[in-house]
Amino acid sequence: MDRNGRLARNETIFREVNERIEKLAREGEWLEIVCECGKPECNEPLRVTIAEYERVRQGPTDFLVAPGHAISEIEVVLTGTNRFEVVRKRPGEGELARVTDPRS
């Protein structure tokens, strides 16, 4: 598997973990999730509202990452706060994200 494939696989794993966290925390307003960046050594926690999380989950190639964790060669930063950034896979880089999206 090439580097971009490994990065994409890591992101999809973290997204699945966060989906499970979100299901368990639906009663509260805030979620403590893990950064969905492609860096295998990253396990940085992110604090997001359920509404923020749900907005990002609407796109199968969008991910929540810690500020500064975007990988510019495969994704672009759409928006951000001091708590997180929302990144989207560049064209041609999002196929694994699409096919593994637990909401599709």
Side-chain angles (χ1 to χ4, degrees):
M1 181 179 295
D2 67 1
R3 179 179 183 268
N4 288 355
R6 285 190 307 275
L7 293 172
R9 183 183 46 132
N10 289 340
E11 291 166 341
T12 60
I13 289 169
F14 290 129
R15 178 174 58 191
E16 179 62 31
V17 168
N18 288 336
E19 282 288 296
R20 291 178 188 176
I21 290 170
E22 192 265 346
K23 285 179 185 172
L24 294 172
R26 286 187 190 251
E27 310 254 330
E29 182 178 333
W30 290 92
L31 296 173
E32 296 286 335
I33 64 171
V34 294
C35 177
E36 296 174 338
C37 77
K39 301 171 184 175
E41 70 279 1
C42 180
N43 62 358
E44 189 164 333
L46 302 177
R47 185 170 163 87
V48 300
T49 66
I50 291 175
E52 291 167 334
Y53 184 81
E54 288 300 321
R55 274 193 300 276
V56 174
R57 287 287 79 88
Q58 291 176 10
T61 61
D62 295 353
F63 293 86
L64 287 154
V65 301
H69 285 214
I71 302 169
S72 61
E73 59 263 15
I74 62 170
E75 56 204 10
V76 61
V77 176
L78 299 177
T79 188
T81 71
N82 63 339
R83 295 176 285 116
F84 63 86
E85 292 178 334
V86 177
V87 298
R88 177 171 290 155
K89 294 294 171 204
R90 292 186 181 279
E93 297 293 340
E95 187 56 30
L96 181 61
R98 275 192 233 7
V99 299
T100 60
D101 183 9
R103 296 191 179 193
S104 294

